[in-house]
Amino acid sequence: MKRILLLLMMIWAAVVPALAQKGLHLDQLFQGRIIPQERMVETRVRGKSIEKYQLSFYRSLRMSVTDEENKLLCQLLGQDAEQSIDMRSYRQNPHSWKTYTCKLQLPAAGGKNRFICFQEEWNRKHDRCEVTVIYMEGSVESLEKLEELLK
């Protein structure tokens, strides 16, 4: 009986994070359909360590991408931005294309507010782009409040 319960808990732990990004265009990235999993560094956090930020789930991907891959990621981000409630984007230096950041608040799902942060950093010297995509969900009510909590 204990083995069955343990097995069910392991299956639940594997399935729930996969459902978190469902309905998002960037979900293709989290599933490894755009960039192979072996080229990405993934971080998942759930539980008490992020409760102080009013979050229940945090998932990030960091990777180096080609120009074509970056264009596709930006296109998917744009499609998710169309359904966003709030959006903030900015460049580190308005006269430079070096760093671009975009933050989205998406419609709530499953009683949880959802957020995406996207950052690209160009390294012209090495002719590559480093991209970080973060998905967060929790009870925090707005993008503004999330930014305050994370400072």
Side-chain angles (χ1 to χ4, degrees):
M1 182 65 172
K2 288 182 182 180
R3 287 183 182 171
I4 293 172
L5 184 58
L6 182 61
L7 180 61
L8 289 174
M9 288 174 48
M10 289 172 47
I11 292 171
W12 177 258
V15 170
V16 169
L19 295 175
Q21 298 86 222
K22 291 293 180 205
L24 300 179
H25 292 89
L26 277 172
D27 184 40
Q28 295 176 53
L29 175 66
F30 286 97
Q31 292 178 5
R33 292 185 191 162
I34 298 171
I35 312 292
Q37 294 282 358
E38 53 273 0
R39 286 185 35 214
M40 297 188 286
V41 175
E42 180 177 11
T43 303
R44 291 184 195 199
V45 183
R46 193 179 277 287
K48 291 187 180 192
S49 61
I50 58 174
E51 283 178 359
K52 64 183 173 186
Y53 304 109
Q54 298 175 21
L55 295 172
S56 56
F57 184 60
Y58 171 98
R59 186 175 184 188
S60 72
L61 298 174
R62 181 152 177 86
M63 69 223 83
S64 291
V65 297
T66 64
D67 283 340
E68 295 79 28
E69 291 167 336
N70 191 45
K71 287 177 186 174
L72 179 56
L73 291 176
C74 288
Q75 179 184 14
L76 295 173
L77 178 69
Q79 292 172 343
D80 285 333
E82 289 175 4
Q83 65 179 359
S84 67
I85 297 169
D86 189 8
M87 178 179 148
R88 296 164 192 218
S89 64
Y90 54 91
R91 298 215 174 270
Q92 183 180 29
N93 176 349
H95 305 291
S96 166
W97 288 86
K98 185 176 178 182
T99 303
Y100 170 73
T101 304
C102 180
K103 299 174 184 176
L104 305 175
Q105 180 177 359
L106 302 161
K112 301 200 179 193
N113 295 318
R114 305 179 305 156
F115 304 90
I116 291 178
C117 297
F118 177 92
Q119 183 175 39
E120 64 180 27
E121 298 177 57
W122 282 97
N123 184 336
R124 294 289 180 202
K125 182 177 179 181
H126 299 294
D127 195 32
R128 70 177 193 205
C129 181
E130 295 289 326
V131 173
T132 304
V133 180
I134 302 170
Y135 172 86
M136 296 172 279
E137 65 181 34
S139 62
V140 62
E141 61 271 355
S142 69
L143 195 51
E144 182 179 355
K145 180 70 173 171
L146 180 63
E147 289 175 334
E148 287 175 20
L149 289 168
L150 294 176
K151 283 186 181 179

